Amino acid sequence: MNQNTEQLRTDPIGRLLFKLSLPAMIGMLVTALYNIIDTIFVARGIGSTAVAAIGIAFPIQMILMAVSSAVGLGGASISSRKLGKGDDAGAAVTFLNVLFLVGVFAAFAVSSAFFMLDDILKVFGATSAIMELSRQYLSVVLISSPFFMFTLAASAMVRAEGQAPYQMKVMLTTVVVNLVTTPLFIFTFGWGIYGAAWSTALAQVVGSVLMLRFFFAKNRRTDLDFQWRKFRIRFGELKEIMAIGSSSFIMMVSQSILFVGVNVMLGTYGGTEELAIFAIINKFMALVGMPIMGIVQGMQPIVGYNFGAKQFDRMRETIWTAMRAGIAIAVIIWLTLQLIPEQLMRMFTTDVNLIAGGVTAIHVLFAVSFLPSVQMLVNGIYQSLGKARVAMFLSLSRQTLYTIPLVFILPNFFGVFGVWLAFPIADAMTFLTAVGMAVWDRKLLFRPSEDEIEAKATNL
């Protein structure tokens, strides 16, 4: 029996979900706060133009994150179910196939840095005023992307073994490295935007080394037994990994496309000031979503494992507990954003116009930002159960079906305000879609245990 995963079968659900979610939530929340602080360093040390330049590069980073997260989540879903069935050897093979996929995609990302960088930046909305700064930042980020992608994919596999605290340690370590080196490189060494980029790259290297230590060091933390000589690329499993992870991939790529669309429309109806406002707001958007994703990540191995072990009562209890916790956290974050938007903007700039525009954007854009938490949780459940098509539809619903079209339509009538207005309308529509899917498929998501079925049959 895999000692790391035995807790998924036996521990009380509330305590177990807290144990697995808290590290992920802390790690993601710290990452979101780091992104905010890092942007403050860039804004104060280089200027708002550099903030806009990094904002252009952000959608490209999102694509890299989408690929690695999709591979990791797909592999973790398969591994969790294998571990629930006692197939530890099969789970180890799945992880090796995950590494193969990440390597393929990372090689493509690095080659893009050398052959297609300018073309990529033009497509993603870089203007002549910020092109050079965006080029400097993104060139470093793409070259260091293999470390970043491996860390993200491996993190999902660590969670599949119920070792979320280790993932939290890795994330916290990378954040500390970044927070120390960013001001050092920007202010002390005077490296400008290259300093911000190299600080990020260094943190990614540190994170990947810690992940390698978890799986492959002599005193490794994993219980998986890697038998390299017996390893074979399993194309059927690679297909399943991508199918399950495709919902997360599409969701994050759609978000990247959304950011590109927003940048294009803000450039059309506004200017560099509006681009800088959105680059700042991006950081708060991550702050809204990452704690919920932490709960999702804590929930998924429990749901997947107990589904594989046919302990449906534990699976159902996990889902309801995660729902209550996720919605409560989303409401708290929403209240914070609505009550102190001006103070939040003043952390980044003293420009009166930038602050005023940012306050309006925060009020409108985050008007009902607590609602999508339900969609994120429902989508995470479907991923855990290997229901790739339904998870993909839910992932598409928010950005692709709702927000992206609205971002391109509403500014024609309301200008820049229409860009901000697109988000709350899409959030409400996403909530209704997720609730409708959960109600329609309630027999799967809230499946009764075998004991309960037998008891009902006896009563009849």
Side-chain angles (χ1 to χ4, degrees):
M1 179 68 67
N2 188 320
Q3 296 302 314
N4 284 339
T5 55
E6 177 62 15
Q7 60 181 327
L8 302 177
R9 182 190 298 270
T10 59
D11 284 8
I13 291 299
R15 186 174 67 187
L16 180 60
L17 182 63
F18 181 79
K19 178 181 177 181
L20 297 183
S21 296
L22 184 62
M25 287 173 57
I26 292 175
M28 288 198 163
L29 184 60
V30 170
T31 299
L33 291 174
Y34 154 71
N35 286 327
I36 291 173
I37 295 171
D38 191 52
T39 303
I40 293 173
F41 287 145
V42 172
R44 299 285 185 175
I46 309 172
S48 59
T49 303
V51 174
I54 293 177
I56 293 296
F58 184 71
I60 302 169
Q61 294 175 277
M62 284 290 297
I63 292 177
L64 300 179
M65 188 183 300
V67 171
S68 48
S69 295
V71 173
L73 287 171
S77 176
I78 297 171
S79 293
S80 291
R81 282 176 276 133
K82 286 183 177 180
L83 291 168
K85 297 174 183 177
D87 184 11
D88 290 12
V93 172
T94 298
F95 178 67
L96 296 179
N97 278 276
V98 165
L99 292 185
F100 171 77
L101 274 178
V102 169
V104 171
F105 290 123
F108 178 77
V110 173
S111 64
S112 300
F114 293 100
F115 302 109
M116 298 182 290
L117 187 56
D118 284 2
D119 293 334
I120 291 173
L121 286 171
K122 289 177 183 178
V123 169
F124 279 74
T127 63
S128 57
I130 60 176
M131 173 64 80
E132 181 58 30
L133 288 174
S134 294
R135 183 189 297 116
Q136 292 173 7
Y137 182 81
L138 190 60
S139 61
V140 175
V141 169
L142 285 176
I143 292 172
S144 64
S145 62
F147 303 101
F148 172 61
M149 297 175 74
F150 167 74
T151 301
L152 283 180
S155 294
M157 301 301 295
V158 170
R159 293 193 303 272
E161 285 199 74
Q163 290 294 301
Y166 187 86
Q167 183 213 6
M168 180 190 71
K169 292 177 182 178
V170 173
M171 296 183 71
L172 291 177
T173 302
T174 58
V175 167
V176 170
V177 170
N178 223 325
L179 288 177
V180 171
T181 56
T182 298
L184 180 67
F185 292 169
I186 292 176
F187 296 104
T188 304
F189 294 172
W191 289 356
I193 201 165
Y194 271 126
W198 280 113
S199 174
T200 299
L202 179 60
Q204 291 168 358
V205 171
V206 171
S208 65
V209 169
L210 293 175
M211 281 297 174
L212 285 170
R213 181 181 177 184
F214 180 90
F215 287 104
F216 302 114
K218 290 183 179 180
N219 57 340
R220 62 187 184 180
R221 302 283 294 274
T222 182
D223 284 337
L224 299 180
D225 183 17
F226 299 106
Q227 300 181 25
W228 292 94
R229 294 181 180 180
K230 297 182 180 180
F231 169 67
R232 297 292 184 273
I233 298 172
R234 297 184 177 180
F235 291 100
E237 188 159 273
L238 294 181
K239 182 178 179 181
E240 186 180 0
I241 288 172
M242 293 308 301
I244 295 171
S246 61
S247 60
S248 288
F249 174 78
I250 291 174
M251 180 174 65
M252 297 182 75
V253 169
S254 298
Q255 189 171 9
S256 178
I257 295 172
L258 169 62
F259 290 161
V260 173
V262 170
N263 286 332
V264 170
M265 299 308 285
L266 290 177
T268 302
Y269 292 93
T272 302
E273 182 176 292
E274 285 73 20
L275 289 171
I277 288 173
F278 185 65
I280 293 171
I281 288 179
N282 265 341
K283 311 307 176 183
F284 297 119
M285 292 174 72
L287 187 65
V288 171
M290 282 189 174
I292 311 304
M293 281 304 301
I295 293 179
V296 171
Q297 290 180 6
M299 171 192 71
Q300 286 181 318
I302 310 174
V303 170
Y305 183 95
N306 285 286
F307 182 79
K310 296 184 179 181
Q311 297 190 143
F312 302 119
D313 53 339
R314 288 177 60 81
M315 183 187 82
R316 183 180 57 196
E317 184 183 352
T318 301
I319 291 171
W320 280 118
T321 305
M323 283 284 182
R324 290 191 292 267
I327 294 171
I329 291 172
V331 169
I332 292 171
I333 295 173
W334 169 73
L335 283 172
T336 302
L337 290 168
Q338 292 299 319
L339 292 175
I340 56 169
E342 183 175 344
Q343 290 87 335
L344 295 174
M345 287 299 299
R346 287 188 180 278
M347 294 191 304
F348 297 89
T349 181
T350 57
D351 188 307
V352 176
N353 293 328
L354 206 64
I355 293 171
V359 168
T360 299
I362 289 173
H363 275 310
V364 177
L365 192 148
F366 295 109
V368 290
S369 59
F370 55 90
L371 293 179
S373 60
V374 174
Q375 181 258 355
M376 296 170 69
L377 289 159
V378 173
N379 186 59
I381 296 166
Y382 278 113
Q383 285 180 328
S384 302
L385 301 179
K387 303 297 180 180
R389 292 183 180 179
V390 182
M392 182 183 297
F393 173 77
L394 284 174
S395 297
L396 283 170
S397 65
R398 187 179 184 189
Q399 279 91 11
T400 306
L401 297 182
Y402 302 139
T403 317
I404 292 175
L406 289 170
V407 162
F408 283 100
I409 293 171
L410 294 182
N412 294 293
F413 301 96
F414 304 105
V416 170
F417 183 81
V419 176
W420 313 139
L421 186 62
F423 287 86
I425 295 175
D427 287 347
M429 296 171 72
T430 298
F431 169 77
L432 294 174
T433 301
V435 170
M437 291 296 299
V439 172
W440 177 267
D441 217 6
R442 59 188 178 276
K443 289 184 179 179
L444 172 66
L445 301 185
F446 307 105
R447 188 171 180 172
S449 67
E450 293 179 355
D451 291 340
E452 290 172 322
I453 294 174
E454 185 178 346
K456 288 181 179 179
T458 302
N459 292 334
L460 292 175

